């Protein structure tokens, strides 16, 4: 059986590292220390290159989500995306992030790699200003907005996702304008 020829969608957690300490996250205890048994590691670039090559032309959607870590924390994310877009020029690529890591230039570089391909970065912001950090602890709202703007201004495509809570539901209109 040629599994790689039947596979159309691929979701990968490329890292178990995360800079945030979200209270409801399965990777930590109530926003504190990392849960026992979660090994902090990054997906190996050579294995990713082989996976990309073996599935070239078949995958219609790649999702790098943040169930066990934030893809933006992977030190080789830009390299991985360059490999992926070379092997999968018609694939829809989605990257989920809290966006509170790196400088704007890093996000501009990522946008440059992705700009000619179907992609979007899903930024998880759960409020405006300080209220954002009530859930997305250890992140910086202003830094995320700066990084998102840098990514978008460099031809990146973005989506803002907000988990609605009593403390942030009144921000929906303001978030849409922003």
């Amino acid at each position: 059986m040629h599994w790689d020829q039947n596979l159309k969608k691929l979701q990968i957690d490329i890292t178990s590292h995360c800079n945030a300490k979200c209270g409801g996250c399965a990777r930590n205890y109530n926003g504190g220390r990392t849960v026992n048994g979660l090994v902090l590691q990054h997906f190996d670039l050579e294995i990713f290159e082989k996976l990309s090559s073996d599935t070239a032309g078949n995958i219609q959607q790649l999702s790098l989500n943040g169930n066990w870590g934030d893809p933006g924390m992977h030190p080789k994310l830009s390299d991985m995306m360059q490999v992926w877009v070379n092997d999968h020029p018609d694939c829809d690529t989605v990257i989920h992030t809290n966006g509170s890591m790196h400088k704007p230039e890093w996000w501009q570089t990522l946008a440059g790699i992705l700009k000619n391909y179907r992609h979007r970065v899903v930024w998880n912001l759960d409020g405006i200003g300080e209220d954002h950090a009530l859930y997305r602890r250890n992140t910086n709202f202003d830094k995320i907005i700066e990084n998102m703007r840098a990514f978008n201004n460099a031809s990146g495509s973005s989506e803002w996702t907000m988990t609605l809570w009593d403390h942030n539901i009144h921000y929906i209109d303001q978030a849409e304008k922003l």
Side-chain angles (χ1 to χ4, degrees), residues 99-162:
S100 188
M101 72 287 294
H102 304 296
K103 294 182 178 178
E105 296 78 20
W106 187 92
W107 292 99
Q108 290 169 334
T109 298
L110 182 61
I113 293 167
L114 297 173
K115 73 179 181 181
N116 294 320
Y117 301 92
R118 287 191 325 252
H119 74 278
R120 71 186 180 282
V121 169
V122 179
W123 307 79
N124 298 293
L125 292 121
D126 292 328
I128 304 287
E130 293 296 318
D131 284 349
H132 162 76
L134 291 174
Y135 179 72
R136 301 274 174 191
R137 299 176 195 159
N138 206 36
T139 66
N140 182 296
F141 178 82
D142 294 329
K143 182 175 186 172
I144 298 165
I145 294 297
E146 180 182 25
N147 288 341
M148 186 189 315
R149 285 185 173 148
F151 181 79
N152 291 343
N153 289 338
S155 298
S157 178
S158 292
E159 179 179 307
W160 177 337
T161 297
M162 183 186 301

